[in-house]
Amino acid sequence: MTDHGKRVAAMLMTMGVICACGCGSNYRHGNVDSALTHIENFEYAEAEESLNNAEKQGEDERLLCRARGILYRTLGQYDLAIDEFLKSLAATDGIPNDMDYDTNFYLADAYIKLGRYPEAIEVYDAILDIRKKDKDAFYMRGIARLKNEDHDGAYSDFSKAMSLSQRDYDLRIMIYKALSEAGYEDEGKAILEACLSDGDQNMTNYEKGQISYYLGNNADAQSYLELARNERDSQKAPVVLLLGQTGERQGDYNYAVSVYKTFLAEDPNHPDIYNQLGLCQIRMGDYDGAVSSFEEGLALNDTAYYQALLLNEITAYEYAGNFTQAKALMEKYRKAYPDDKDAEREEIFLSTR
């Protein structure tokens, strides 16, 4: 293990030491909480100000450094983020909790973003030394190893992650996608095919539909998903999202639009479905309809989907030839997501329109 790996491991081991009450940590963190709220609302200058106030007022160093790391990570300043996450871990003086491990996952992700895969792997190694059955750590170490061109190590980690969660079909789909993107699609498909051939009696119609969809068996996927859509107690949104996409794959955009709109008329609180509806409408050449769909999704203020919805709305305006509005929204987008290099290039393109 390198010096860096030993340092991360030592920090994690320190987290396991129980200290007596009154260790001296200051757990006031009002400004840190405000900073995190500002980050969530894309108010980065305000977040920086809150963090500076937190430092002046002596708020908890572990939380302060972690929040600074999150801010820098959001801004794409991964080297600075890494420094702050390491400071946060070094400041830990109690029993490890979920937040401490979450910080390590942030740290490893920053290393991956910079292409520093061996260092990311060392972080996951350290996590797994303490949490020997952490499915997410095995999966993410597999991703880092795959990017580091260690196929066998990655496949071993993926296998361990799957063995720790026998019925986690979402995990298997993520592994399929990772292997496919790395050029090992046949291996990924074999994992999915095993899901169907294993004969799990508890496998739901939605799960069968998911697996069939990613295997490219669109007709089977549509059949299973239609059954799932009509089940009384199933979660309808993910079913509808995938069902519409089976129609899109087969070029039946009218069917897909009908599926999305029928669902949204009954339950409009789903930005992911507004986003997919808008994308479908773009493919149909209905740019005004797409803009409307993206705006309805954005109005729900769900941070998990806000970025995709805003970027896709810009695309819809571009296709419609409304470059003035596209430019205005791109300025808003770039302010909220300054680390998106693709958007930076798109902004340059728009400046010439």
Side-chain angles (χ1 to χ4, degrees):
M1 182 180 289
T2 66
D3 289 342
H4 169 269
K6 290 175 182 175
R7 184 156 61 118
V8 173
M11 288 174 182
L12 278 168
M13 292 303 294
T14 300
M15 286 157 52
V17 178
I18 301 175
C19 71
C21 294
C23 290
S25 288
N26 186 343
Y27 288 101
R28 292 183 295 110
H29 47 80
N31 285 298
V32 171
D33 290 344
S34 294
L36 291 172
T37 300
H38 284 309
I39 293 170
E40 189 173 319
N41 292 328
F42 319 116
E43 298 164 350
Y44 304 130
E46 293 86 346
E48 182 69 39
E49 183 179 357
S50 292
L51 291 171
N52 289 338
N53 289 335
E55 186 171 9
K56 290 175 184 175
Q57 294 178 24
E59 294 190 15
D60 183 74
E61 182 183 4
R62 179 182 59 136
L63 300 179
L64 170 60
C65 292
R66 178 179 180 274
R68 273 219 172 100
I70 291 171
L71 175 61
Y72 289 140
R73 175 180 175 270
T74 304
L75 294 173
Q77 299 172 5
Y78 299 115
D79 285 320
L80 294 176
I82 287 167
D83 290 342
E84 294 300 327
F85 291 139
L86 288 171
K87 289 177 188 175
S88 177
L89 291 171
T92 300
D93 60 2
I95 302 172
N97 57 30
D98 289 340
M99 191 192 75
D100 297 315
Y101 285 95
D102 185 58
T103 300
N104 276 280
F105 278 103
Y106 274 128
L107 172 63
D109 176 71
Y111 282 132
I112 289 174
K113 290 288 197 303
L114 289 174
R116 293 163 62 176
Y117 307 124
E119 289 160 295
I121 291 166
E122 288 178 346
V123 176
Y124 296 124
D125 288 343
I127 292 171
L128 287 164
D129 281 343
I130 308 299
R131 290 188 171 181
K132 300 185 183 301
K133 294 186 177 182
D134 192 308
K135 173 193 69 176
D136 295 330
F138 275 119
Y139 166 71
M140 287 305 305
R141 189 173 70 178
I143 294 293
R145 283 178 163 169
L146 199 59
K147 290 180 179 293
N148 202 43
E149 300 184 358
D150 177 10
H151 164 270
D152 292 347
Y155 198 89
S156 174
D157 277 343
F158 291 152
S159 297
K160 288 172 184 173
M162 290 188 288
S163 71
L164 290 167
S165 190
Q166 297 288 341
R167 295 198 65 255
D168 189 340
Y169 297 113
D170 286 335
L171 171 66
R172 284 152 177 78
I173 289 168
M174 291 190 297
I175 291 171
Y176 156 76
K177 289 180 178 179
L179 288 170
S180 295
E181 289 171 7
Y184 303 103
E185 185 173 6
D186 288 345
E187 287 186 354
K189 282 189 172 181
I191 289 171
L192 297 187
E193 287 165 352
C195 296
L196 294 175
S197 62
D198 283 349
D200 180 0
Q201 298 299 313
N202 295 313
M203 197 174 191
T204 66
N205 284 314
Y206 170 61
E207 289 166 340
K208 291 175 184 176
Q210 272 187 301
I211 299 299
S212 298
Y213 175 84
Y214 286 105
L215 284 172
N217 302 330
N218 295 310
D220 289 345
Q222 199 164 340
S223 296
Y224 285 126
L225 293 168
E226 283 285 10
L227 290 172
R229 182 165 68 152
N230 294 317
E231 291 169 354
R232 291 182 58 186
D233 298 326
S234 66
Q235 292 288 325
K236 293 294 191 295
V239 174
V240 165
L241 189 62
L242 205 54
L243 179 59
Q245 289 176 271
T246 63
E248 291 184 56
R249 267 193 178 179
Q250 298 172 83
D252 193 348
Y253 297 116
N254 288 323
Y255 168 81
V257 167
S258 175
V259 168
Y260 299 140
K261 286 188 172 181
T262 299
F263 175 78
L264 289 169
E266 298 176 359
D267 187 356
N269 297 312
H270 293 278
D272 51 342
I273 297 181
Y274 277 115
N275 187 55
Q276 197 61 39
L277 171 59
L279 290 172
C280 187
Q281 289 167 319
I282 286 177
R283 295 186 185 100
M284 296 175 73
D286 179 11
Y287 306 127
D288 290 340
V291 166
S292 177
S293 295
F294 295 136
E295 286 182 346
E296 289 186 74
L298 287 165
L300 297 172
N301 289 315
D302 188 321
T303 55
Y305 298 101
Y306 198 91
Q307 181 176 7
L309 284 159
L310 184 55
L311 189 59
N312 289 332
E313 184 182 8
I314 294 167
T315 301
Y317 275 118
E318 284 187 44
Y319 276 117
N322 189 342
F323 295 109
T324 300
Q325 187 61 22
K327 286 179 188 178
L329 288 177
M330 180 57 78
E331 289 179 10
K332 178 180 179 181
Y333 180 90
R334 290 284 294 138
K335 183 178 180 182
Y337 307 102
D339 63 324
D340 189 333
K341 300 304 180 186
D342 291 333
E344 183 178 355
R345 289 189 287 272
E346 183 67 14
E347 185 178 33
I348 293 170
F349 165 76
L350 282 171
S351 69
T352 66
R353 300 297 97 185

